[in-house]
């Protein structure tokens, strides 16, 4: 029997992958979680039926949610990830020797547990083996409220703005994140597909601009997400991701990144016209 999984990207379009095995299928109090084995993309995690990560292309997302901010900030020491229970973002953050502590605040403990069990290539730094990493199973909004003026970089590694993630796209939340950052802090958030989600983007960037003096969008190629053309929001109190970028420092980073590099850092902030239009002020 052939088994295929489809995530619908619009009413009439979707992405389909051949599945060889279901490794886990269950439900937490927040959402439905499935981890399956696919033929071409390795293991794949779905939340409420939406593709979160696959082993084959997660390197793109996790490089790009973490390294642009960590190479723009001159000395990131304390980093917070909201969401990101698969651990991929923390894995990349841990490559930066300046980082003394990374905190993962994920609302759903089931996502963390199953990632440690079934996705060790991503969860390798959240399995308790790294003393620089702290885990909190908690609502990100509640956590941020109690940790003001603390972080150099905060990453919002969320799902789409439906279900438990809705609040992570709102102005009030961005204001709380602003407060949780030190005076030169940077926030990054996954910001959906410029091709399929212009309305979400318009709203999200408007909300960010109401709070941060520097707001830029950058892009990455992620084949298993809607349209493959994905984006991130860079919101900052002081440092500009292009003007304040130290190319030499990124070039001499001393660790391997399969997607990110010092040229791409700059290139990623160059946007096609339609994407600029989505978020025009
Ligand atoms: N974050 C998921 C981005 C949204 C994907 N959307 C979709 N497939 N419709 C992934 C978390 C990885 N750490």
């Amino acid at each position: 029997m052939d088994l295929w999984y489809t995530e619908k990207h619009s009413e009439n379009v979707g992405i389909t992958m051949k599945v060889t095995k279901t490794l886990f299928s269950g439900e937490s109090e927040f959402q439905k979680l499935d981890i399956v084995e696919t033929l071409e993309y390795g293991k794949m995690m779905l939340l409420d039926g939406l593709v979160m990560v696959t082993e084959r292309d997660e390197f793109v997302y996790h490089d790009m949610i973490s390294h642009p901010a960590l190479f723009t900030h001159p000395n990131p020491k304390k980093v917070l990830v909201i969401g990101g229970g698969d651990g991929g973002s923390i894995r990349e953050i841990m490559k930066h020797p300046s980082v003394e502590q990374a905190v993962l605040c994920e609302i759903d403990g089931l996502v963390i547990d199953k990632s440690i069990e079934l996705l060790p290539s991503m969860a390798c730094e959240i399995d308790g083996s790294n003393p620089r990493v702290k885990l909190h199973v908690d609502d990100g909004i509640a956590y941020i409220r109690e940790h003001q003026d603390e972080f150099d970089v905060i990453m919002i590694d969320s799902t789409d703005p439906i279900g438990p993630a809705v609040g992570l796209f709102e102005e009030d939340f961005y204001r709380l994140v602003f407060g949780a950052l030190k005076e030169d802090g940077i926030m990054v958030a996954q910001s959906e597909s410029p091709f399929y989600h212009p309305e979400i983007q318009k709203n999200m960037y408007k909300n960010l601009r109401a709070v941060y003096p520097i707001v830029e969008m950058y892009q990455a190629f992620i084949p298993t997400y809607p349209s493959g053309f994905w984006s991130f929001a860079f919101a900052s109190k002081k440092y500009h991701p292009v003007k304040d970028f130290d190319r030499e420092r990124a070039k001499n980073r001393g660790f391997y990144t399969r997607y990110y590099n010092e040229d791409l850092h700059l290139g990623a902030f160059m946007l096609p016209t339609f994407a600029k239009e989505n978020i025009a002020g």
Side-chain angles (χ1 to χ4, degrees), residues 7 50-53 61-62 86 157-158 160 190 225-226 230:
E7 178 189 331
L50 305 176
V51 176
M52 291 297 114
V53 289
Y61 181 95
H62 292 126
D86 53 77
D157 186 1
S158 77
D160 297 352
Q190 78 84 3
Y225 287 175
W230 208 252

Side-chain angles (χ1 to χ4, degrees), residues 131-166:
R132 289 156 71 210
V133 176
K134 273 201 178 153
L135 299 189
H136 285 277
V137 178
D138 199 355
D139 173 20
I141 299 175
Y143 182 87
I144 290 248
R145 202 170 272 131
E146 278 153 35
H147 292 265
Q148 293 285 289
D149 200 20
E150 202 174 308
F151 295 98
D152 300 301
V153 176
I154 297 179
M155 298 171 191
I156 316 301
D157 186 1
S158 77
T159 180
D160 297 352
I162 37 174
V166 172

Side-chain angles (χ1 to χ4, degrees), residues 77-103:
K77 287 187 181 152
K78 201 157 177 198
V79 181
L80 170 66
V81 177
I82 300 284
D86 53 77
S89 302
I90 295 283
R91 180 195 64 206
E92 294 308 310
I93 293 164
M94 283 298 102
K95 293 180 179 173
H96 289 255
S98 72
V99 175
E100 292 164 2
Q101 189 175 82
V103 178

Side-chain angles (χ1 to χ4, degrees), residues 93 103 111 127 148 175 180-181 188 207-208 223:
I93 293 164
V103 178
V111 174
D127 58 4
Q148 293 285 289
R175 234 172 254 294
L181 289 167
V188 175
N207 292 345
L208 284 167

Side-chain angles (χ1 to χ4, degrees):
M1 185 181 65
D2 271 5
L3 262 184
W4 294 78
Y5 181 78
T6 298
E7 178 189 331
K8 281 177 77 176
H9 291 166
S10 74
E11 268 314 298
N12 311 297
V13 176
I15 186 171
T16 301
M17 274 176 264
K18 195 163 175 179
V19 170
T20 50
K21 216 188 205 164
T22 299
L23 301 169
F24 178 79
S25 187
E27 201 152 342
S28 71
E29 62 179 295
F30 302 105
Q31 53 207 345
K32 187 166 165 19
L33 168 65
D34 296 282
I35 301 178
V36 298
E37 180 80 50
T38 70
L39 214 54
E40 289 206 13
Y41 278 83
K43 290 178 195 162
M44 170 165 79
M45 181 204 279
L46 305 145
L47 287 179
D48 288 334
L50 305 176
V51 176
M52 291 297 114
V53 289
T54 78
E55 285 181 319
R56 184 166 171 197
D57 70 351
E58 58 90 7
F59 71 99
V60 182
Y61 181 95
H62 292 126
D63 271 17
M64 293 307 279
I65 199 168
S66 54
H67 300 307
L70 295 171
F71 280 118
T72 298
H73 194 291
N75 188 22
K77 287 187 181 152
K78 201 157 177 198
V79 181
L80 170 66
V81 177
I82 300 284
D86 53 77
S89 302
I90 295 283
R91 180 195 64 206
E92 294 308 310
I93 293 164
M94 283 298 102
K95 293 180 179 173
H96 289 255
S98 72
V99 175
E100 292 164 2
Q101 189 175 82
V103 178
L104 180 75
C105 182
E106 159 69 53
I107 197 167
D108 195 342
L110 185 66
V111 174
I112 298 179
D113 292 346
K114 288 294 152 188
S115 298
I116 292 171
E117 183 188 329
L118 297 168
L119 303 169
S121 65
M122 280 167 249
C124 51
E125 301 283 17
I126 59 166
D127 58 4
S129 60
N130 191 333
R132 289 156 71 210
V133 176
K134 273 201 178 153
L135 299 189
H136 285 277
V137 178
D138 199 355
D139 173 20
I141 299 175
Y143 182 87
I144 290 248
R145 202 170 272 131
E146 278 153 35
H147 292 265
Q148 293 285 289
D149 200 20
E150 202 174 308
F151 295 98
D152 300 301
V153 176
I154 297 179
M155 298 171 191
I156 316 301
D157 186 1
S158 77
T159 180
D160 297 352
I162 37 174
V166 172
L168 305 182
F169 289 76
E170 286 167 4
E171 185 184 323
D172 286 353
F173 175 65
Y174 297 146
R175 234 172 254 294
L176 279 176
V177 174
F178 189 95
L181 289 167
K182 292 185 188 150
E183 76 286 343
D184 60 351
I186 300 171
M187 174 196 137
V188 175
Q190 78 84 3
S191 69
E192 304 289 299
S193 168
F195 196 79
Y196 274 126
H197 310 121
E199 286 310 315
I200 295 174
Q201 289 206 317
K202 192 180 157 78
N203 209 18
M204 179 177 181
Y205 282 80
K206 179 174 75 65
N207 292 345
L208 284 167
R209 286 198 188 105
V211 179
Y212 291 85
I214 298 166
V215 176
E216 298 288 334
M217 177 160 88
Y218 64 99
Q219 54 165 314
F221 159 69
I222 306 179
T224 59
Y225 287 175
S227 85
F229 179 42
W230 208 252
S231 73
F232 297 87
F234 183 106
S236 174
K237 294 189 179 184
K238 183 171 170 192
Y239 306 115
H240 189 280
V242 174
K243 292 176 203 143
D244 296 316
F245 175 55
D246 180 352
R247 199 173 179 282
E248 283 309 298
R249 185 178 137 226
K251 189 176 175 192
N252 299 320
R253 62 196 172 281
F255 55 80
Y256 180 67
T257 48
R258 189 160 169 234
Y259 192 82
Y260 178 86
N261 60 54
E262 65 283 3
D263 297 323
L264 186 86
H265 179 113
L266 296 170
F269 285 91
M270 307 299 137
L271 301 173
T273 308
F274 78 90
K276 286 189 194 180
E277 284 168 357
N278 288 353
I279 60 163

